[in-house]
Amino acid sequence: MSALLAGGSLETISGEAAHAALAGLRADLLADRLIPYVGPGLLTLDGTPPVPTSPEEVAAALQKRVPVPGRIRGNMWAVAQYIESRRHRRTLKTLMVDIFAAEPRPSGFHRFLAGLPLGLIVDSWYDGTLAAALAEAGRTDVVDVQGQSRAAIGEDRWYRAFDLIGHSAEPDAAHTLLYTPHGGIRPEGNVLVSDSDYVEVLTEIDIQTPIPEEVRTRRATRGFLFLGCRFHDQMLRTYARQIIKRSTGPHACVAEADRLSLNERRFLAAEGIALIDLSLGEATRLLIG
């Protein structure tokens, strides 16, 4: 599936063709030829979730707890940086843990993914719902590799790895590697959220140092399927671009075409990601089969 047409435009697959494409993507998932790259949109599949589902909602939740200047309101990264600078990192961490304190409630699609013998899954949000689904499924062959801020924890490493009960683990020992590049609320609450967190990582992400070697190894023979993700901010686009770097493809993204920004459409086209023009709910029902 090639996402680039003549002139570098975005390949958009709609209607019956989208259904057919999803059938092929489902077969690729079952055969472990695709890496699910999931975002907070999945949390909305079973109704209104108890935690934020976008950077803007995280910013709003932080602003309710700490007053911030009007010029940065709505910008999660800037709001988090303001709180970290004025109130200390410990305060920011405590607030993030509180905002995401609600117990994860896996959807049917989370449980579907948890039942697949996938080599790699990327979870781009903080909540830990997919990890909860994997634990609920009794999976003991999963390691969660979480991105972290070296400066915030005072350690010279870009990530830590845990089993599903929160003990330290080795990434190469996992059958399924769950990669949470922005960190996770559980088990330790270490997340990338402030501007300074990302400045630190972005200085080296182009040479791939912050991305675990095991992630780089496993992506080399697979494509990516984006589900429940938005790419309306440069930070989100940069991370996705670096995570899929040097993977074989093909790549696809499920989203409703008329809801995408121009920058999102340009990003998908530039990265060779085909757009499956369906609602997330319909697409996940078809993928479950």
Side-chain angles (χ1 to χ4, degrees), residues 224-267:
F224 282 83
L225 174 60
F226 295 90
L227 296 155
C229 302
R230 292 297 305 270
F231 300 108
H232 57 298
D233 186 273
Q234 181 64 28
M235 191 81 74
L236 303 175
R237 296 192 292 272
T238 298
Y239 249 74
R241 181 180 297 113
Q242 294 298 332
I243 289 170
I244 70 174
K245 196 173 186 177
R246 301 192 183 98
S247 57
T248 57
H251 309 311
C253 175
V254 170
E256 294 175 87
D258 61 359
R259 296 191 177 187
L260 295 182
S261 69
L262 179 59
N263 280 337
E264 287 177 296
R265 297 179 68 86
R266 287 173 172 167
F267 166 73

Side-chain angles (χ1 to χ4, degrees), residues 20-274:
L22 276 177
L25 293 169
R26 183 178 191 276
D28 286 340
L29 275 178
L30 296 178
D32 193 21
R33 292 189 293 264
L34 273 182
I35 299 164
Y37 187 121
V38 303
L42 289 187
L43 300 177
T44 66
L45 289 173
D46 288 347
T48 303
V51 297
T53 60
S54 70
E56 292 78 14
E57 289 183 12
V58 172
L62 289 170
Q63 291 158 197
K64 286 181 180 178
R65 292 160 171 82
V66 176
V68 302
R71 68 181 183 280
I72 64 170
R73 292 179 68 86
N75 183 318
M76 179 185 77
W77 301 277
V79 169
Q81 185 63 51
Y82 180 88
I83 294 171
E84 181 176 1
S85 301
R86 301 302 195 281
R87 301 286 185 93
H88 200 273
R89 180 73 185 198
R90 287 192 298 271
T91 300
L92 176 60
K93 179 177 178 178
T94 298
L95 292 175
M96 289 294 290
V97 169
D98 179 58
I99 289 167
F100 284 91
E103 286 296 316
R105 299 184 301 189
S107 66
F109 189 73
H110 286 104
R111 295 188 177 97
F112 167 70
L113 289 180
L116 299 181
L118 298 166
L120 176 62
I121 306 172
V122 179
D123 186 350
S124 64
W125 202 230
Y126 305 115
D127 56 289
T129 304
L130 188 50
L134 289 157
E136 183 183 281
R139 296 286 301 274
T140 59
D141 57 351
V142 178
V143 172
D144 181 5
V145 183
Q146 299 184 352
Q148 62 180 10
S149 166
R150 295 188 303 176
I153 65 167
E155 296 181 2
D156 188 23
R157 51 179 170 174
W158 297 103
Y159 48 84
R160 294 189 64 186
F162 305 92
D163 63 22
L164 294 179
I165 58 175
H167 297 151
S168 294
E170 293 298 325
D172 58 2
H175 180 86
T176 296
L177 196 66
L178 175 63
Y179 179 38
T180 47
H182 303 281
I185 294 300
R186 299 169 183 82
E188 295 185 352
N190 293 319
V191 297
L192 301 176
V193 64
S194 68
D195 277 335
S196 61
D197 291 339
Y198 286 99
V199 167
E200 178 186 50
V201 174
L202 293 176
T203 58
E204 295 198 33
I205 199 167
D206 191 52
I207 58 173
Q208 299 281 286
T209 309
I211 298 176
E213 182 178 356
E214 191 65 21
V215 171
R216 287 180 266 162
T217 297
R218 297 188 186 206
R219 74 184 175 189
T221 57
R222 297 171 170 91
F224 282 83
L225 174 60
F226 295 90
L227 296 155
C229 302
R230 292 297 305 270
F231 300 108
H232 57 298
D233 186 273
Q234 181 64 28
M235 191 81 74
L236 303 175
R237 296 192 292 272
T238 298
Y239 249 74
R241 181 180 297 113
Q242 294 298 332
I243 289 170
I244 70 174
K245 196 173 186 177
R246 301 192 183 98
S247 57
T248 57
H251 309 311
C253 175
V254 170
E256 294 175 87
D258 61 359
R259 296 191 177 187
L260 295 182
S261 69
L262 179 59
N263 280 337
E264 287 177 296
R265 297 179 68 86
R266 287 173 172 167
F267 166 73
L268 296 178
E271 299 305 316
I273 303 170

